[in-house]
Amino acid sequence: MSNLEREPEEVVLHGAGGPEVQILEPRDVPLGGPRTLSVRRTLPQRSRSLIGAWCFVDHYGPTPARADAVMDVAPHPHTGLQTVTWLFAGAVEHRDSVGSLATIRPGTVNLMTAGSGIQHSERSRSDARGLHGVQLWTALPDAHRHDAPFFEHADAHPLVIDDARLQVFAGSLDGAPSPVTTLSPLLGAQLDLPAGGTATLPADPAFEYGLLVDAGAATLQGRPVAADELAYLAPGCTAITVTAGDDPLRAVLLGGAPLGEPIVMWWNFVGRDHEEIERYRADWQQRVGQGPSERFGAIDDPAAPLPAPTLPGVRLRPRE
Ligand code: MN
């Protein structure tokens, strides 16, 4: 992946009473490959690395309904994180080195816990109409980042609060059980409101929150949030009020207790220092050249694995 776009913009709106809302603008990032899918990335960016344990927010589509498979990502590695795939439309086939083969469609969540190391491939299916969704990562806390890797595929938990229909796909909201394993206190949910609708959701004051608007326009705690923007809310809220504009609103609500651990994120790896990332990269490059590796196992996918980029000439520094 390479970021060819402008520097992300950041706007902080100070309001009287309650935490400020920080607007994080997306930047376009091509994922590469023969049929390039461009994603809108709102996390991480210069002004913010994390929302709770959420450390990566990619938003893509809708792609044309009759397009060929537009996501075609060959085997590549991950460490120290979970990947969460959530679709609004389309279907993506997932394969990994713990033996999983799963097709994800709207209403179901794929959660892959990389722990000490995993490799996977992802391809959108051309028999589904278009592709539209998000890929999110959580950084694993130190206590779990060396766990053995595993994969889960589950239905989201539906909830109705005021005018909002919610689908909780990770963590919990209002006591709803999480459909998948989360390893720090967090929340991930799709939120839908009809045109002009409004909802006041219970919030955990220990959490920080992010609202990514997919369709329509939102008002969050009285501040406007446009499509493709990620609005950040600092800890301290006991309730979150979201209102839709003149069109129906579709958004993704993220939340979590601040991770409180400096992390180093580089390419597909999350670690704690430069040397650790160097080790992960070397372990993967060995796999690229010679087949199965101790850390990343083997995958039943004939495509050539993606080589890691070259490390920058400077030491990678932790971010918080
Ligand atoms: Mn991946």
Side-chain angles (χ1 to χ4, degrees):
M1 301 180 201
S2 56
N3 175 15
L4 305 176
E5 297 307 308
R6 62 192 163 80
E7 278 294 291
E9 297 296 322
E10 174 222 341
V11 181
V12 180
L13 303 172
H14 297 272
E20 64 201 21
V21 174
Q22 179 188 21
I23 301 293
L24 301 168
E25 300 282 353
R27 62 188 187 278
D28 291 326
V29 180
L31 283 188
R35 310 175 200 89
T36 295
L37 175 67
S38 183
V39 301
R40 303 183 287 285
R41 186 165 298 162
T42 42
L43 208 66
Q45 52 179 281
R46 186 166 37 88
S47 59
R48 175 152 299 282
S49 304
L50 293 155
I51 298 177
W54 299 103
C55 61
F56 187 88
V57 176
D58 266 4
H59 180 201
Y60 46 80
T63 62
R66 295 194 169 276
D68 279 341
V70 289
M71 178 183 283
D72 184 3
V73 187
H76 62 279
H78 289 289
T79 60
L81 57 82
Q82 294 178 302
T83 66
V84 177
T85 306
W86 178 255
L87 298 180
F88 307 125
V92 172
E93 205 167 77
H94 162 99
R95 283 183 173 74
D96 66 36
S97 53
V98 294
S100 317
L101 171 57
T103 297
I104 180 182
R105 296 177 190 278
T108 63
V109 59
N110 272 9
L111 179 134
M112 185 180 78
T113 302
S116 58
I118 196 168
Q119 56 175 305
H120 74 143
S121 63
E122 296 162 289
R123 292 184 185 86
S124 56
R125 290 175 55 134
S126 50
D127 60 342
R129 293 173 55 201
L131 182 66
H132 189 183
V134 290
Q135 176 156 135
L136 314 165
W137 298 354
T138 75
L140 289 171
D142 198 47
H144 289 286
R145 67 194 190 92
H146 302 296
D147 288 0
F150 60 96
F151 175 79
E152 295 167 286
H153 177 82
D155 292 337
H157 184 91
L159 265 185
V160 173
I161 299 177
D162 300 334
D163 296 333
R165 284 187 301 113
L166 292 129
Q167 299 176 73
V168 178
F169 56 76
S172 73
L173 174 66
D174 206 17
S178 181
V180 290
T181 304
T182 49
L183 296 163
S184 62
L186 58 79
L187 163 68
Q190 179 176 330
L191 182 158
D192 287 273
L193 278 171
T198 189
T200 297
L201 313 175
D204 183 334
F207 276 27
E208 47 193 353
Y209 288 93
L211 186 77
L212 175 71
V213 173
D214 173 64
T219 303
L220 173 68
Q221 311 293 66
R223 283 79 160 193
V225 189
D228 297 337
E229 290 179 342
L230 174 64
Y232 169 78
L233 210 49
C237 293
T238 53
I240 297 175
T241 299
V242 184
T243 303
D246 295 337
D247 295 308
L249 172 72
R250 177 162 59 194
V252 171
L253 179 65
L254 303 175
L259 186 66
E261 298 177 25
I263 61 169
V264 177
M265 261 182 86
W266 180 80
W267 194 44
N268 294 314
F269 305 132
V270 172
R272 291 298 183 273
D273 58 39
H274 184 88
E275 285 69 27
E276 207 169 53
I277 297 289
E278 275 185 325
R279 238 174 4 256
Y280 296 154
R281 183 184 183 279
D283 288 350
W284 176 248
Q285 290 305 95
Q286 185 186 20
R287 140 75 177 134
V288 168
Q290 301 172 19
S293 82
E294 198 173 322
R295 179 179 300 282
F296 298 108
I299 187 170
D300 184 15
D301 188 319
L306 295 178
T310 306
L311 275 163
V314 295
R315 284 182 60 80
L316 299 167
R317 292 171 166 277
R319 307 176 68 173
E320 201 161 0

